[in-house]
Amino acid sequence: MHFRNRNRVIQVIRTTYDPATKKPKVQLLGTVNKANPEISDELRLTCKPRELLELKAYLQNQHQLGRMELEMAARTLVIQMQKAAEWFDTAMVNTENEVLAADINRQFPMLRKKLQRLLKAADEAATTARPRNAGD
């Protein structure tokens, strides 16, 4: 069994040996939506128990990889911003770089909003976790 990543779906494929042609035979068992990776009842019935376990493991692995990519992006953001600033210092002024700068600039308010929400929640958690004095 193997999986093909397409634009919005993951194709689930079974490969079997065809003794008549002496070649592998590929059979598309179904697809899983990437945005909502749930195994449909139809696909569940089409898969053998071992294939179903393999599919579940694959989807779990893809989910973990996605989370790791997000974490890596967050953890390396500061250094990437420093490098981007250095590059923009020396980059030529042209349409492509102007579009890139505009795209980056549009993302800052969203990022700032999420960072402020995180910092506010951390502040509130720290405030509620502080022990009160006996005199309070």
Side-chain angles (χ1 to χ4, degrees):
M1 167 173 262
H2 69 276
F3 310 97
R4 282 189 197 135
N5 279 298
R6 295 298 184 227
N7 289 336
R8 295 188 178 125
V9 297
I10 299 167
Q11 293 179 331
V12 181
I13 299 163
R14 177 189 294 148
T15 305
T16 55
Y17 178 74
D18 185 356
T21 62
K22 296 185 179 183
K23 294 183 180 179
K25 180 181 174 186
V26 176
Q27 177 186 6
L28 177 64
L29 300 179
T31 59
V32 177
N33 187 332
K34 283 184 182 179
N36 185 19
E38 293 186 18
I39 303 169
S40 69
D41 291 338
E42 182 181 331
L43 180 56
R44 202 176 294 277
L45 292 172
T46 307
C47 289
K48 296 174 185 172
R50 185 167 182 215
E51 291 172 333
L52 196 55
L53 288 174
E54 190 176 340
L55 174 57
K56 287 178 181 177
Y58 177 81
L59 293 175
Q60 177 65 26
N61 186 50
Q62 292 301 301
H63 175 73
Q64 288 175 331
L65 284 173
R67 295 297 303 164
M68 288 172 70
E69 283 178 331
L70 294 175
E71 181 181 353
M72 184 62 94
R75 292 189 178 277
T76 61
L77 182 59
V78 171
I79 191 72
Q80 294 301 323
M81 289 172 63
Q82 291 169 347
K83 289 179 180 182
E86 287 177 33
W87 183 79
F88 278 114
D89 279 343
T90 61
M92 293 176 29
V93 175
N94 60 33
T95 305
E96 183 180 345
N97 293 345
E98 289 172 12
V99 169
L100 177 59
D103 285 344
I104 293 169
N105 199 42
R106 269 192 293 278
Q107 291 300 314
F108 274 127
M110 178 195 62
L111 179 61
R112 183 181 312 269
K113 191 176 191 179
K114 292 185 185 291
L115 292 173
Q116 286 171 341
R117 190 178 315 137
L118 177 71
L119 292 172
K120 182 179 177 187
D123 227 17
E124 289 170 359
T127 302
T128 58
R130 287 188 192 131
R132 294 183 131 181
N133 291 337
D136 287 347

